[in-house]
Amino acid sequence: MYPFRLINGNVLPTDNTGYVYCLISKRHFEQIYIGETRCISQRLIQHNSGAGSTSTNNIRYRPWAVAAFICGLAHMNKSERMSLERR
């Protein structure tokens, strides 16, 4: 198992300050996804319902949990957050 605790959706921030985040499949720990969003709690709900990225909509890998996130990116627009996501 990993040396960190996976976070479920009820303890995530609910503000719209902007995030780059890393998800991990709770069923297949080798499956990860890195994304960007304005609201991380809403985005996790989308990923777990199949309405997130095409990379996370396979039911075989759901549910997803947040493994890590960078917050406080309100000063960045979507393009800048996507650049950080790629790095």
Side-chain angles (χ1 to χ4, degrees), residues 27-84:
R27 291 185 182 179
H28 298 276
F29 294 125
E30 71 281 358
Q31 294 295 321
I32 65 166
Y33 172 81
I34 298 174
E36 68 77 30
T37 188
R38 293 286 296 165
C39 182
I40 194 169
S41 59
Q42 181 61 38
R43 191 67 176 138
L44 180 61
I45 291 167
Q46 291 171 338
H47 285 296
N48 282 327
S49 70
S53 168
T54 57
S55 300
T56 63
N57 68 5
N58 188 333
I59 197 162
R60 177 177 165 204
Y61 300 125
R62 288 187 254 154
W64 294 90
V66 175
F69 62 89
I70 302 170
C71 60
L73 304 178
H75 63 286
M76 293 181 158
N77 62 32
K78 181 179 179 82
S79 176
E80 292 169 321
R81 289 192 310 273
M82 288 176 76
S83 176
L84 181 59

Side-chain angles (χ1 to χ4, degrees), residues 8-22:
N8 59 25
N10 63 357
V11 295
L12 290 171
T14 57
D15 60 14
N16 294 323
T17 60
Y19 302 86
V20 171
Y21 60 94
C22 177

